């Protein structure tokens, strides 16, 4: 298994180059893209099957390490543990399914599929990198393909949405990189290796410097998640992005912010000293505000896609709440929420994409009775909505149950307030489903087609996975649970 992580990482990049340079027809572009993504998926399944959950903190597996810039302590350093492995698996699942879903893409297909592969590689790199310098390169790499996916294949206001997305996330990245360099110079360890820097963080003499570094990194991750009040770029990006962009943005890119919380910030909490309780309060307040504010905004939306976008902000609020509660159940639930939300939101955005493509609108009051003409879509969309509102036997229920139960142990007031969001979440999902899918069919919508096979297959697979991980979450949860127990300071 030597260099297997590098293979998983670079095969999509090679596929992107082949697609861009040599795939002149739509058929060859999508086939090269799918094969590249599928190879990465197979290799990911291989390491998932050989992954060992019970290793000590900061003990990584499948390590690839090559010295790069020795004078600065920078190396090409990859590895996985229980925090990163499930998210790598999520990325490996979503990308080939997204490529199948957009099988009929006609507009500049070689560029379109190449950008999806570059995006996949960038996300793999973020989850695998164990060197902060490398981590930042991959973090920034993910901005480029999504910017072009929105600005070239997006809706009427695509330029505004793409620029807003880039400015928000790039500014956050710059603040984050200031925190990285401050951490590097303050510790004096002369290396950018994340495990070494995390262990040296508590040795920084000035508590104010430790807090400053923490907040700089925290800001970078907050904007990426995103958390209220840094969320305004997300609805615009989703509304204007093509369906593939929305699926990958919500499915894996938002998870980078949550991953930063668990990979970088939670292990640093013990080093905050007297400021630790203030930081936890700040995280809890931001989490609850995000849950309630985004939920009620979702309730007020008429655009189905914008409603799903706001629901993503609310669901990421549960991730923040679980991290703030800082016990192994809440942290495990928050990590599982990241994985589960990636599957669920992909089904939701794919459903909206089919409606938009078929009846040329996604405004909820203009829809109605689609289940009569699109029964396959209605069934899969209903499954996605039920999973998103936390119906038992689906993965969303497990995640939210663990987050709220764990949060109640250490942050009972915040957990009780967050529970109000569950009621409103059920409300806007059921309201939208009833008005879009059921009742009398709106004849003004013409004669819509139901799901084509290339749309049906990925959506059906995602729904099956949502149910599988809802009934048997242990196959993924085991990695999260052990990882959350070994993060320093997490209460068992």
């Amino acid at each position: 298994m030597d260099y297997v992580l590098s293979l998983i990482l670079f095969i999509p990049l090679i596929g992107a180059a082949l697609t861009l340079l040599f795939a002149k027809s739509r058929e060859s572009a999508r086939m090269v893209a799918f094969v590249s993504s599928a190879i990465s998926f197979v290799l990911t399944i291989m390491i998932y099957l050989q992954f060992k959950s019970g290793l000590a903190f900061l003990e990584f597996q499948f390590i690839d390490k090559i010295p790069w810039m020795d004078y600065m302590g920078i190396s090409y350093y990859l590895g996985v543990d229980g925090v990163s492995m499930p998210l790598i698996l999520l990325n490996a699942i979503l990308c080939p399914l997204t490529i199948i879903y957009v099988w009929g893409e006609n507009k500049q297909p070689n560029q379109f599929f190449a950008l999806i592969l570059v995006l996949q590689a960038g996300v793999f790199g973020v989850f695998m990198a164990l060197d902060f310098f490398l981590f930042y390169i991959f973090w920034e790499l993910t901005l480029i393909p999504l910017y072009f996916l929105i600005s070239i294949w997006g809706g009427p206001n695509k330029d505004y949405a793409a620029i807003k997305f880039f400015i928000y996330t790039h500014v956050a990245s710059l603040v984050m990189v200031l925190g990285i360099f401050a951490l590097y110079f303050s510790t004096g360890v002369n290396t950018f290796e994340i495990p070494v820097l995390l262990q040296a963080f508590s040795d920084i003499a000035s508590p104010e410097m430790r807090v400053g570094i923490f907040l700089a990194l925290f800001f970078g991750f907050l904007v990426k998640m995103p958390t209220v009040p840094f969320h305004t770029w997300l609805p615009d990006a989703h509304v204007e992005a093509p369906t593939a962009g929305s699926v990958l943005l919500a499915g894996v890119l938002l998870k980078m912010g949550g991953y930063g919380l668990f990979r970088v910030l939670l292990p640093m909490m013990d080093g905050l000293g007297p400021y630790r309780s203030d930081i936890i309060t700040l995280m809890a307040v931001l989490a609850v505000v995000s849950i309630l504010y985004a939920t009620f905004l979702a309730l007020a939306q008429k655009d189905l896609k914008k409603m799903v976008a706001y629901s993503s902000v609310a669901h990421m609020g549960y991730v923040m709440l679980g991290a703030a509660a800082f016990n192994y159940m809440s942290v495990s639930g928050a990590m599982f929420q990241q994985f589960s939300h990636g599957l669920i939101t992909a089904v939701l955005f794919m459903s909206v994409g089919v409606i938009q493509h078929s009846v040329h609108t996604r405004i909820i009051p203009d829809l109605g009775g689609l289940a009569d003409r699109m029964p396959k879509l209605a069934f899969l969309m209903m499954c996605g909505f039920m999973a998103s509102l936390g119906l038992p036997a689906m993965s969303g229920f497990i995640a939210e149950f663990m987050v709220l139960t764990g949060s109640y142990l250490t942050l009972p007031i915040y957990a009780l307030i967050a529970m109000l969001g569950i009621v409103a979440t059920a409300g806007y999902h059921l309201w939208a489903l009833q008005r879009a899918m059921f009742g009398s069919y709106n004849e003004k919508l013409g004669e819509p087609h139901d799901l084509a096979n290339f749309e049906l297959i990925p959506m059906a697979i995602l729904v099956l996975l949502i149910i599988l991980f809802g009934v048997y979450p242990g196959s993924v949860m085991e990695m999260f649970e052990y990882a959350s127990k070994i993060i320093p300071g997490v209460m068992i």
Side-chain angles (χ1 to χ4, degrees):
M1 301 295 284
D2 292 341
Y3 307 113
V4 65
L5 295 185
S6 295
L7 287 173
I8 293 171
L9 174 61
F10 282 104
I11 283 173
L13 286 178
I14 295 170
L18 294 175
T19 305
L20 188 63
L21 298 176
F22 302 108
K24 301 302 181 186
S25 66
R26 183 183 72 176
E27 289 73 16
S28 58
R30 65 193 187 189
M31 185 54 70
V32 172
F34 175 72
V35 169
S36 305
S37 192
I39 293 172
S40 284
F41 169 75
V42 171
L43 292 172
T44 303
I45 293 297
M46 289 171 61
I47 64 169
Y48 167 72
L49 294 175
Q50 297 188 29
F51 183 82
K52 298 174 184 175
S53 296
L55 298 183
F57 178 64
L58 297 180
E59 187 171 347
F60 297 94
Q61 303 172 54
F62 311 108
I63 289 175
D64 286 350
K65 187 174 182 181
I66 303 170
W68 185 8
M69 290 180 268
D70 279 340
Y71 59 96
M72 289 188 67
I74 296 173
S75 58
Y76 171 80
Y77 187 14
L78 305 178
V80 298
D81 64 355
V83 178
S84 54
M85 184 67 236
L87 295 178
I88 292 170
L89 183 64
L90 175 66
N91 190 35
I93 291 171
L94 277 188
C95 284
L97 292 181
T98 303
I99 290 171
I100 295 172
Y101 176 83
V102 293
W103 203 248
E105 178 62 43
N106 283 314
K107 182 180 177 182
Q108 299 166 284
N110 61 332
Q111 297 176 27
F112 183 80
F113 288 110
L115 289 171
I116 289 178
L117 291 175
V118 173
L119 189 58
Q120 182 185 28
V123 175
F124 273 140
V126 168
F127 295 148
M128 293 176 181
L130 297 180
D131 181 287
F132 254 134
F133 191 83
L134 196 63
F135 175 86
Y136 182 72
I137 289 174
F138 287 122
W139 186 279
E140 289 293 88
L141 178 63
T142 62
L143 302 185
I144 299 168
L146 190 60
Y147 170 82
F148 284 112
L149 282 172
I150 297 172
S151 63
I152 297 176
W153 288 269
N157 295 318
K158 57 189 179 184
D159 293 334
Y160 169 77
I163 292 171
K164 187 175 182 180
F165 155 76
F166 194 89
I167 290 175
Y168 263 75
T169 52
H170 187 56
V171 168
S173 301
L174 292 176
V175 176
M176 183 181 75
V177 80
L178 288 176
I180 293 173
F181 277 103
L183 180 62
Y184 171 80
F185 288 111
S186 299
T187 55
V189 293
N190 194 34
T191 178
F192 277 90
E193 290 183 14
I194 293 175
V196 176
L197 288 171
L198 293 182
Q199 289 176 328
F201 175 70
S202 298
D203 298 331
I204 298 174
S206 169
E208 287 74 20
M209 176 59 79
R210 293 200 295 270
V211 172
I213 292 169
F214 185 95
L215 291 178
L217 295 169
F218 188 38
F219 179 73
F221 302 143
L222 279 181
V223 175
K224 184 65 84 175
M225 286 184 72
T227 299
V228 175
F230 310 111
H231 68 289
T232 60
W233 62 270
L234 184 72
D236 290 325
H238 271 307
V239 166
E240 300 302 327
T243 301
S246 292
V247 169
L248 296 175
L249 172 59
V252 291
L253 260 74
L254 302 190
K255 309 303 175 289
M256 290 162 48
Y259 174 73
L261 283 183
F262 303 117
R263 164 63 64 229
V264 179
L265 297 185
L266 292 194
M268 295 166 73
M269 293 288 274
D270 273 357
L272 295 176
Y275 299 101
R276 174 176 153 157
S277 61
D278 295 332
I279 294 293
I280 287 177
T281 301
L282 174 65
M283 292 172 68
V285 169
L286 289 174
V288 170
V289 170
S290 295
I291 291 170
L292 296 183
Y293 183 70
T295 297
F296 284 104
L297 281 178
L299 197 60
Q301 297 307 311
K302 293 181 179 179
D303 185 330
L304 198 54
K305 198 173 189 184
K306 209 165 188 176
M307 187 200 80
V308 177
Y310 279 116
S311 79
S312 292
V313 177
H315 282 98
M316 288 298 99
Y318 289 104
V319 174
M320 179 72 75
L321 180 64
F326 215 51
N327 61 70
Y328 91 92
M329 181 180 286
S330 70
V331 173
S332 301
M335 291 180 179
F336 193 69
Q337 172 78 333
Q338 291 239 101
F339 183 82
S340 168
H341 180 259
L343 300 175
I344 294 170
T345 197
V347 174
L348 300 185
F349 278 116
M350 286 179 179
S351 299
V352 176
V354 171
I355 292 173
Q356 169 77 40
H357 181 71
S358 186
V359 301
H360 307 295
T361 181
R362 52 177 191 256
I363 303 302
I364 297 171
D366 294 342
L367 302 173
L370 289 178
D372 285 344
R373 312 297 172 93
M374 309 171 78
K376 297 175 187 172
L377 171 69
F379 175 75
L380 294 175
M381 185 174 171
M382 187 169 65
C383 290
F385 273 44
M386 294 298 113
S388 186
L389 63 84
L391 193 73
M394 294 187 166
S395 59
F397 170 76
I398 302 292
E400 291 184 9
F401 178 80
M402 290 188 68
V403 167
L404 292 172
T405 304
S407 300
Y408 187 78
L409 297 175
T410 49
L411 298 170
I413 301 299
Y414 295 98
L416 290 173
I417 296 172
M419 286 179 189
L420 297 175
I422 295 178
V423 180
T425 299
Y428 70 72
H429 278 106
L430 295 175
W431 176 79
L433 195 63
Q434 192 276 329
R435 297 190 69 184
M437 285 292 157
F438 301 110
S440 301
Y441 179 69
N442 182 358
E443 299 295 340
K444 294 180 181 177
L445 298 175
E447 290 298 327
H449 65 77
D450 205 349
L451 294 173
N453 286 336
F454 62 81
E455 297 164 332
L456 174 64
I457 291 171
M459 291 178 66
I461 291 173
L462 288 168
V463 167
L464 288 173
L465 290 174
I466 290 167
I467 296 172
L468 171 66
F469 292 119
V471 176
Y472 179 59
S475 53
V476 171
M477 186 66 76
E478 185 181 42
M479 290 182 278
F480 287 141
E481 281 186 329
Y482 196 83
S484 64
K485 287 179 181 177
I486 60 179
I487 292 174
V490 168
M491 290 170 284
I492 305 299

